Amino acid sequence: MAERLVGKKAPDFTMDTVLGNGKEFSKASLEDYHGKWLILFFYPMDFTFVCPTEITAISDAHEQFAELDTEILGVSTDSVYTHRAWINTSRDENGLGELNFPLAADLTHKVARDYGILVEEKGVAQRGLFIIDPEGELKYEVVTDDNVGRSVEETLRVLQALQAGGLCPANWKPGMKML
């Protein structure tokens, strides 16, 4: 049975990462993002077809997220070495090129399982995106079929609505009246 995560403390994590430059390894934990908003997104696998379109679109919008005091962390069940190889492959060759955020390796599948998006029989994460507030509360989640890429524009809109701190009607955008 699926467990509700929105409105609860986000599941804790610590994972190995490769930085967006494709050269350095590090670690990331939920605590590292305390005091900032976090877009935590999962994707199925490196070197696939839909995933690079999402990852590069999010990277290209990095400045917009930064203006909203928001950090980004991408996650799959692949290793940091596979992530590094993908970052070091050009976009023209189905790679990512340099990114503006790190990619984390959930080799044990614990984090994907804790966030309720692990496809156990395949050992991969579904496309899940989570917005976590500065206090560590999970405020938003969306999970899609592997064939459907997520919208950066919608992610930004929802983030801005959450940060607005009021009742935002459907299709609300910054500058519009709240309820």
Side-chain angles (χ1 to χ4, degrees):
M1 178 178 284
E3 180 184 338
R4 174 184 64 84
L5 294 175
V6 172
K8 295 182 176 182
K9 181 163 176 35
D12 199 14
F13 61 81
T14 299
M15 293 178 281
D16 291 329
T17 65
V18 62
L19 300 184
N21 63 16
K23 296 178 177 110
E24 301 170 65
F25 296 110
S26 189
K27 286 198 179 288
S29 68
L30 183 59
E31 181 59 32
D32 295 337
Y33 299 99
H34 184 78
K36 290 195 167 249
W37 289 83
L38 174 63
I39 302 293
L40 177 67
F41 74 93
F42 294 80
Y43 61 94
M45 294 188 304
D46 294 349
F47 291 100
T48 55
F49 302 102
V50 176
C51 297
T53 67
E54 291 185 305
I55 295 167
T56 57
I58 292 170
S59 183
D60 291 347
H62 181 263
E63 282 300 314
Q64 293 172 275
F65 287 107
E67 288 172 8
L68 297 169
D69 198 27
T70 301
E71 299 286 332
I72 302 165
L73 180 61
V75 184
S76 82
T77 56
D78 294 305
S79 75
V80 289
Y81 303 104
T82 306
H83 292 341
R84 179 173 68 179
W86 203 22
I87 291 169
N88 289 322
T89 302
S90 74
R91 289 185 181 189
D92 294 340
E93 298 175 339
N94 197 36
L96 299 175
E98 192 165 316
L99 298 175
N100 292 306
F101 54 83
L103 294 180
D106 181 20
L107 287 176
T108 66
H109 306 166
K110 180 182 182 338
V111 182
R113 189 174 290 115
D114 288 349
Y115 279 80
I117 58 163
L118 182 66
V119 181
E120 294 280 351
E121 62 276 10
K122 293 182 180 179
V124 298
Q126 289 182 289
R127 287 186 201 291
L129 184 139
F130 302 86
I131 298 178
I132 301 168
D133 78 5
E135 299 305 314
E137 184 178 321
L138 204 146
K139 293 293 194 179
Y140 176 83
E141 74 175 292
V142 62
V143 180
T144 67
D145 185 82
D146 288 348
N147 295 333
V148 179
R150 292 161 282 203
S151 167
V152 172
E153 184 178 300
E154 176 64 2
T155 301
L156 282 163
R157 186 194 76 79
V158 170
L159 175 64
Q160 291 167 321
L162 289 167
Q163 290 180 350
L167 298 174
C168 299
N171 301 317
W172 178 92
K173 291 183 180 170
M176 292 176 66
K177 184 179 177 183
M178 292 192 282
L179 301 176

